[in-house]
Amino acid sequence: MGTLLPVLRNTALDGEVNALLYLSLVSARWGDGSLDYVVDDMSLAERWEYDSDSTTIVFVLRRDAVWSDGRPISPHDVVFSYEVLRDPAVASPYAEVWQHLDSVVQVADRRVEFHFRRRYPGMLFDAMIGIIPAHVFEESVSRGAALAGHAALAEPARLVVSGPYRVAEWRRGERLVLEANPRTLTDAPRTKSVVFRVIPELTTRLAELESGRIDVLGVSGPLAAARANPVQANSRYRLESSEDRYYDYIAWNGAMFEPFSQPAIRQALSLAMDRGAILAGLGIDDHARPAAGPYPPIFGAVADPVLRPDPHLPDSARAILAAHGWRDRDEDGLLDRGGIPFRFTLLAAAGNQRRAAAAKIIQAQYAEVGIDMRIRHVEFNALLDAVFERRDFEAVMLGWQIPLEHDYLIGHFWPSDHPINMTGYASAALDSIIPMAEVAATEEEAVLHWKAAARVIVEDQPFAFLWYFDDVLIVDRRVTGLQVDTYGLYQNLHEWRVER
């Protein structure tokens, strides 16, 4: 858990918890490979409509929308929340919505208008940021103070929220306690209090589950899920999963290791690894599948059936490497060129057992074709600094949570000038396709462009796409009412019930 403010959220869990604290204008559901937008009791708006040229969305707020301190929720709160996003001092990860937004304005007591620069399929998605209370944060922001250091975040029980829950207690790194918000728009939560506990060691988490001190266990990826199989076999528990919401990858930094600047070399590295054997060797093939590119099959129309995971073809990998001058000239089992061995270092986050185990297997598979891959485990925050700030790495194994609007998955990660594009990968073809996809008038037109963009990325191989994997919960059967799907694990937590 990183932050309890939606304009600052960092992790997937942050996003799910913040959605229980701060309502957005509209809600979404996942169905048939895409998001459907609705207004319901988790929405601040009672309705929305497009203007005549479809570049403006008008939202009408509910009359009964109030903050947990009793203050009415107004269009001013909406305008303030979006102005915060583009404040450089706030450094919100959602600042990019202003690439498409022209303005957000209050036009009446309950009406607020979003004016976009053009019509595009993701307009409602960009209008779904959790709204924060202007009367709490406005003065601090106007003074240029760091929003992350606001007093309300230092004492989270003082946070003013709108969702079905408010914060009762937060001990960082230990536990977060939510309690029912009596002024929420939703029906009263069926579970009045929810405790999120931080228990790093899986063995301890499993013991707590079996002892009855935990009702729902997040197992943090497919390796943990596989280790938890004996518990899952107990009829007392059931498995809930959000399918293919993540993928792991290796990013190649040609600026630090010149061979990685060549697409053919990156292709050879992909062919030299056996993804299926890695998943089977880790025992996680029930919860992960070899990846074919940036879009997993859950995306329906935009997931391109033409793209397939790279096969394991070590002889082809050797042939490509040889054609580019990499041969074992001194017969020491290691490829070399110009007297320099093919040797590089892969960074991986310390403590991530799945990636550590996978890296060891990939290391052995690369050794078979004459490549010496060293592995260095780095504390996670230091890893992020090395990769995204200093770009000081040769290769890195990381993973993404997959955004549910497919324009974010490519349009916000892969442009050549984007800060998340940590390898500096540049493609003139891709940079021409992304703007066409972003301004497409219809979803069908956009899908064609996003498919073309994915094909460019897969052909150039700036990443070795490894596997898509599930987010998994083990649930005591006493817990009912869960709605778990691609949209998230905790999307309707206020409707869960624990039968005693």
Side-chain angles (χ1 to χ4, degrees), residues 31 63 73 110 130 252 281 293 296 317 420 439 478:
R63 294 182 185 275
I73 299 175
R110 294 191 297 120
W252 313 111
I420 296 180
V439 302
R478 296 180 301 113

Side-chain angles (χ1 to χ4, degrees), residues 102 115 145 214 276 291-292 295 310 337 346 363 368 399 475 479 488:
D102 181 69
H115 296 274
I214 291 177
Y295 291 129
D310 277 342
R337 186 179 66 182
L346 175 78
Q363 182 183 52
E368 292 178 3
V475 183
V479 183

Side-chain angles (χ1 to χ4, degrees), residues 174-241:
E174 183 179 342
R175 58 193 255 147
L176 170 70
V177 182
L178 304 182
E179 63 183 7
N181 173 13
R183 290 193 171 103
T184 185
L185 296 173
T186 67
D187 291 336
R190 293 180 177 178
T191 300
K192 303 301 181 187
S193 178
V194 178
V195 180
F196 288 87
R197 294 175 57 192
V198 179
I199 306 174
E201 174 51 49
L202 176 61
T203 302
T204 306
R205 298 204 302 272
L206 292 172
E208 291 286 279
L209 178 73
E210 293 183 283
S211 71
R213 290 189 289 269
I214 291 177
D215 299 302
V216 178
L217 173 63
V219 293
S220 305
L223 183 58
R227 289 177 56 195
N229 277 337
V231 173
Q232 297 170 38
N234 187 324
S235 61
R236 175 179 164 183
Y237 308 105
R238 71 181 186 277
L239 190 72
E240 301 276 1
S241 65

